[in-house]
Amino acid sequence: MGLLSDLTPPHRKLVASLAIRVAQLFFEREGLNCSSFLNGSQSEKEFDSLIENSVFDRVKDAIEEANIDHRINNIIEPLICEVSRKMFYQSTEAQRLLLNKFSRTYILLFTLQAEPRVVDYFQKATANFRLIVGTDLIIRAVSERFLSKENQMTRNMFAMAQEAGIRLIFSESVLNGVIKHFIVTHNEFKNHIQPREAYLPDHVARQSQQILIRTYYHAKSEGYTKNWQQYISEFVTLSQLHYATGKEELKGYITQQFGMEYISKEELAKGIDHKKISDLAKVILDVKNGHADLAEDVSITINAVYGQRRLNKEYSTFPEFGYQTWWLTQESRIQRVTSEMVKAEGSKFIMRPEFLLNFFSLAPSVAEVRETFKNIFPSVMGIQMGNRLPDKVFHKVLERVDEWKDYDKGRISAKTRLLCDRLKAEHYDEDTHMSSIDRLLSSVD
């Protein structure tokens, strides 16, 4: 990828204007997605839209909308992706002001699309939520460790929730998911990256699908950590990850750092028919890629939401929005296989983070919290950085770097940069036929 300084002034101006348009498209999509979610959209296409909002896709949209010549497109597209990423995750004060304006437009779209009852709810609701926090949001909050305070969006959301008196519940089921994520990530690093780390350029390693690996290399490049063990030790002792002591370390870190209340699996499943848990676990097994333990943990969480509502005699003054107990997560894929359960229960079980952030913005009962955090409100929850290489392609790249290990480091760096730029320009997805990948790899030799 080239540098902005290498571009002509007109092209630099074009990159800037398109990066702004990318941000606008993000907020527009998020507002429409969230209102669609609340209105009960059930089609497969609409379910997919809830999870498909990536930097790469919005950059594609912005370029297509601007009708950019393909020769210029190949030069500026990677730069727009990088500028957009920094705007969301390493924003300046001026950029946050711009994002704040987009956020207000997003709220307007959200309230207009989701019917007047949403506005009524925000005006009348009190901050008495009881939220079981999802594994995905815990991992995202952990990954924000070395971001500047104003860019720690997930951590700031948790802080706002504490200030508003919302109970954030960290369950043993979620703790198990967090530990599994750390173990999978460590295995990925140990097996595929560590053996080549001495000659593997950072910009290649940052293509990993694992968020903690990506953030490790960002933290390392900025001088916050020296090696993988030191980085992981910010959260848990690496040697204890597979043991009960490691589980206790992570539990202590998360509950103390994010102000959460820990609940054991037994307590969470109290009063729930075990058959209901096992039946739902079977239904969602494919969504969890065949991991029976994760499927069971998710099933316990979903059943616990409905169980707690019954136990606490919760009822909804406004259909869909008035319950206190929710699962706070962006795991929208679960909805695909739980629609029958939702119909039977008469209400949804997921609260998306965007909904909570809009609650902070609009609900009179938390006006003081809104004022306290007005400089960090812009919501980037749901934004998934899509300009990564899929695991299959990423591992192919690593294998090719192995073959180049006898070259000078500068040569390795140049070849891998060329290779990754070509791969990113093609935007390969997980279903890409690997023979086409092999042909492109060979072309770089």
Side-chain angles (χ1 to χ4, degrees):
M1 183 176 70
L3 301 173
L4 277 172
S5 57
D6 296 335
L7 300 181
T8 63
H11 285 168
R12 286 200 293 270
K13 186 175 181 179
L14 181 60
V15 168
S17 64
L18 288 176
I20 291 173
R21 182 57 182 150
V22 168
Q24 290 175 323
L25 290 171
F26 259 117
F27 284 107
E28 181 179 314
R29 170 63 71 91
E30 286 298 303
L32 295 174
N33 278 355
C34 199
S35 62
S36 176
F37 171 81
L38 290 169
N39 278 322
S41 300
Q42 297 294 329
S43 74
E44 188 77 9
K45 184 177 180 180
E46 287 168 325
F47 273 135
D48 287 340
S49 75
L50 291 173
I51 58 174
E52 293 180 359
N53 195 13
S54 70
V55 164
F56 194 94
D57 290 334
R58 299 295 76 79
V59 169
K60 286 282 190 184
D61 290 344
I63 290 175
E64 183 177 346
E65 181 182 85
N67 196 25
I68 304 297
D69 183 275
H70 71 90
R71 291 168 296 182
I72 301 173
N73 173 24
N74 292 336
I75 298 171
I76 67 173
E77 185 176 307
L79 291 170
I80 298 171
C81 286
E82 182 65 15
V83 169
S84 299
R85 187 194 71 79
K86 288 183 177 178
M87 177 161 49
F88 285 117
Y89 289 106
Q90 296 174 306
S91 59
T92 64
E93 185 175 350
Q95 287 172 330
R96 285 192 295 278
L97 180 62
L98 176 65
L99 292 175
N100 199 19
K101 292 179 179 179
F102 291 159
S103 181
R104 291 172 185 173
T105 305
Y106 157 31
I107 293 170
L108 179 61
L109 280 170
F110 168 73
T111 54
L112 288 175
Q113 290 288 326
E115 303 180 14
R117 58 183 177 156
V118 178
V119 180
D120 289 339
Y121 173 72
F122 281 132
Q123 290 174 342
K124 298 175 183 178
T126 56
N128 58 354
F129 290 129
R130 185 186 302 106
L131 306 180
I132 303 172
V133 183
T135 302
D136 55 330
L137 298 185
I138 298 290
I139 295 298
R140 189 175 299 172
V142 167
S143 74
E144 293 174 351
R145 166 68 179 86
F146 293 111
L147 292 181
S148 61
K149 176 70 175 177
E150 59 272 17
N151 286 302
Q152 294 176 358
M153 295 299 177
T154 315
R155 292 181 175 221
N156 288 331
M157 181 183 68
F158 291 156
M160 286 189 280
Q162 280 187 274
E163 291 288 331
I166 294 173
R167 288 178 62 192
L168 297 177
I169 296 172
F170 177 48
S171 72
E172 184 178 2
S173 296
V174 171
L175 174 58
N176 291 338
V178 173
I179 290 173
K180 189 172 187 68
H181 185 94
F182 267 85
I183 290 174
V184 168
T185 301
H186 175 59
N187 288 339
E188 169 76 7
F189 184 85
K190 182 176 64 175
N191 295 329
H192 295 286
I193 295 179
Q194 196 169 40
R196 304 134 167 146
E197 192 173 19
Y199 52 86
L200 184 67
D202 287 1
H203 68 268
V204 176
R206 287 176 187 167
Q207 294 296 321
S208 173
Q209 288 283 345
Q210 300 298 334
I211 188 172
L212 293 182
I213 291 178
R214 299 197 303 269
T215 54
Y216 159 64
Y217 276 98
H218 283 295
K220 185 180 177 184
S221 67
E222 294 168 14
Y224 291 113
T225 190
K226 294 180 179 179
N227 53 57
W228 178 250
Q229 182 173 342
Q230 183 183 26
Y231 174 73
I232 293 298
S233 294
E234 290 282 340
F235 319 109
V236 60
T237 304
L238 187 57
S239 62
Q240 299 302 310
L241 193 55
H242 293 271
Y243 303 102
T245 50
K247 183 175 181 178
E248 285 299 310
E249 280 187 44
L250 265 178
K251 181 178 79 173
Y253 170 78
I254 292 166
T255 54
Q256 295 299 314
Q257 183 66 36
F258 306 129
M260 296 184 182
E261 173 186 336
Y262 182 77
I263 293 182
S264 68
K265 184 184 290 190
E266 290 74 17
E267 187 177 354
L268 193 66
K270 188 176 181 181
I272 303 173
D273 184 352
H274 190 269
K275 186 176 185 303
K276 292 181 70 174
I277 294 174
S278 59
D279 287 349
L280 182 59
K282 292 174 185 176
V283 170
I284 63 180
L285 187 61
D286 286 345
V287 177
K288 289 298 169 183
N289 300 317
H291 294 292
D293 52 344
L294 293 182
E296 180 179 293
D297 284 337
V298 170
S299 176
I300 290 174
T301 299
I302 295 172
N303 278 284
V305 169
Y306 293 121
Q308 287 293 310
R309 289 175 181 176
R310 286 189 288 268
L311 183 65
N312 296 306
K313 296 182 171 57
E314 297 177 19
Y315 65 94
S316 179
T317 305
F318 303 94
E320 297 291 343
F321 309 121
Y323 295 100
Q324 286 80 56
T325 305
W326 296 88
W327 181 22
L328 184 66
T329 182
Q330 286 189 299
E331 289 213 36
S332 298
R333 290 182 302 168
I334 295 295
Q335 291 179 260
R336 297 181 182 180
V337 294
T338 55
S339 57
E340 291 302 317
M341 183 177 192
V342 169
K343 288 179 182 178
E345 293 288 347
S347 61
K348 297 179 181 180
F349 55 87
I350 285 178
M351 176 183 287
R352 286 166 60 88
E354 305 95 307
F355 185 93
L356 185 59
L357 287 170
N358 279 306
F359 176 84
F360 293 139
S361 175
L362 298 178
S365 59
V366 288
E368 184 177 345
V369 178
R370 182 182 66 229
E371 179 65 24
T372 301
F373 291 95
K374 65 181 180 181
N375 290 325
I376 57 171
F377 173 72
S379 169
V380 294
M381 304 303 298
I383 293 174
Q384 304 296 324
M385 302 306 296
N387 57 331
R388 314 285 181 201
L389 296 180
D391 282 333
K392 292 178 184 177
V393 183
F394 180 60
H395 293 164
K396 283 271 189 181
V397 173
L398 295 181
E399 291 170 7
R400 188 52 53 101
V401 172
D402 273 347
E403 298 173 15
W404 297 337
K405 63 185 178 182
D406 291 332
Y407 291 163
D408 286 338
K409 290 183 179 180
R411 180 59 176 150
I412 295 173
S413 179
K415 289 172 72 69
T416 51
R417 181 180 294 276
L418 173 63
L419 175 57
C420 284
D421 284 348
R422 289 190 181 180
L423 288 169
K424 284 189 289 185
E426 294 294 332
H427 190 40
Y428 291 101
D429 57 33
E430 289 288 356
D431 297 323
T432 300
H433 197 280
M434 295 310 291
S435 62
S436 62
I437 300 294
D438 290 331
R439 285 195 297 272
L440 191 145
L441 290 170
S442 298
S443 72
V444 178
D445 281 336

